[in-house]
Amino acid sequence: KTARGDKGQKLRRNTPALWNLAWQTRFYWDGRAGSLEAQVQDAVEREGEMDGTLQAAALWLSQDQSYVTAFQRAYRTDVLVKPELIATAIAAYERSLLSPETRFDRWVAGDDRALSPEELAGFRIFSGKGRCLACHGGWRFTDDDVHDIGLRSPDRGAAALPGSKAAGRAFKTPSLRELDWTGPYMHDGSLTTLDDVVDHYSDRIDRRASLAPELRTPLTLSAAERGDLLAFLRTLSSTRVPRVP
């Protein structure tokens, strides 16, 4: 999932997953976009990403009659493709990307056999000792907020945005849905596996003043607890690679 810009260069931030964006309130790792439409425009026009304009995209698409017809049918208009309609159309598609049901969902729905004893023990760690729910709550397992999780990185994230109240190196909490299929992890893609992620929260956190309050107390996990937590985390993903409907 390495992100690449308009000239094929590797970008400094990892590509976020696209599941369940219809309920998301902040976009990009630093949360700088407040809507999917704003995210689309930012990606198209930002230097180093697509480095273009929606206006230029509209002129290009207007030369293809199949696109003109599709836009006219979708938006019930006789005009050619408009820049704002491109952002609206892409955002509408992105809102359709919903993660499939998982074994955890079946357990929540009442199937007591959906999770193993080890996975249930991992859920108790996730929701208790691990303090994971402080940021990864709700059915999407994210609070849509930004936090400093103690990752060693020169990127300041949300703290670098004008007028931001974030401190340190703050990044948006990613959803844990389909995390088995959405590695590498963290804003910079620096953690390759879920084992690496658990290792980070266990004993690799850079303990600085801006660290999220829930992470200021060290997390000590036994080998069995670590295994249980990893087992639970994998219940939040589909058993097969999910496909776009």
Side-chain angles (χ1 to χ4, degrees):
K1 292 201 309 139
T2 301
R4 296 192 177 274
D6 66 303
K7 297 180 176 62
Q9 76 277 22
K10 184 177 179 181
L11 302 182
R12 64 181 180 140
R13 291 180 182 164
N14 193 23
T15 305
L18 298 180
W19 299 112
N20 308 315
L21 297 183
W23 293 271
Q24 193 164 301
T25 58
R26 307 172 75 169
F27 301 88
Y28 289 107
W29 280 104
D30 54 15
R32 66 181 180 268
S35 70
L36 273 172
E37 289 79 4
Q39 179 272 324
V40 170
Q41 181 172 355
D42 187 283
V44 170
E45 300 183 352
R46 183 171 291 271
E47 182 179 2
E49 292 194 36
M50 295 184 185
D51 197 19
T53 66
L54 286 177
Q55 182 66 44
L59 291 173
W60 184 76
L61 291 176
S62 294
Q63 298 174 31
D64 188 320
Q65 186 56 46
S66 65
Y67 278 109
V68 173
T69 300
F71 271 85
Q72 289 175 342
R73 287 176 178 172
Y75 294 99
R76 298 190 175 125
T77 176
D78 294 330
V79 301
L80 297 181
V81 181
K82 290 183 177 181
E84 61 271 22
L85 295 185
I86 294 177
T88 301
I90 295 175
Y93 167 71
E94 290 180 314
R95 290 188 178 99
S96 75
L97 302 176
L98 310 180
S99 61
E101 182 185 58
T102 66
R103 289 194 296 115
F104 176 76
D105 296 318
R106 295 200 296 273
W107 177 70
V108 170
D111 183 355
D112 292 336
R113 297 176 297 178
L115 300 186
S116 70
E118 292 77 17
E119 291 162 348
L120 289 172
F123 176 64
R124 287 191 288 271
I125 295 170
F126 181 89
S127 56
K129 177 180 181 178
R131 304 181 295 277
C132 309
L133 281 179
C135 299
H136 291 285
W139 71 272
R140 289 185 301 122
F141 294 90
T142 174
D143 61 359
D144 281 328
D145 205 351
V146 296
H147 306 277
D148 188 338
I149 61 168
L151 196 67
R152 293 179 175 86
S153 168
D155 192 341
R156 295 180 59 224
L161 297 178
S164 173
K165 296 181 180 180
R169 296 164 178 82
F171 297 91
K172 195 171 70 65
T173 306
S175 170
L176 300 184
R177 289 279 175 179
E178 299 302 330
L179 80 171
D180 235 6
W181 309 109
T182 52
Y185 307 99
M186 306 307 189
H187 74 276
D188 55 1
S190 59
L191 303 185
T192 305
T193 67
L194 288 178
D195 292 70
D196 295 333
V197 174
V198 173
D199 284 345
H200 167 75
Y201 286 110
S202 297
D203 54 25
R204 297 181 184 175
I205 290 176
D206 186 6
R207 303 203 168 275
R208 48 192 181 237
S210 55
L211 195 65
E214 295 78 15
L215 301 178
R216 292 173 187 172
T217 301
L219 174 63
T220 303
L221 297 176
S222 67
E225 288 174 325
R226 188 177 179 280
D228 291 343
L229 179 58
L230 284 166
F232 165 71
L233 290 173
R234 291 191 167 95
T235 71
L236 305 179
S237 299
S238 307
T239 54
R240 297 181 181 179
V241 178
R243 300 190 180 280
V244 174

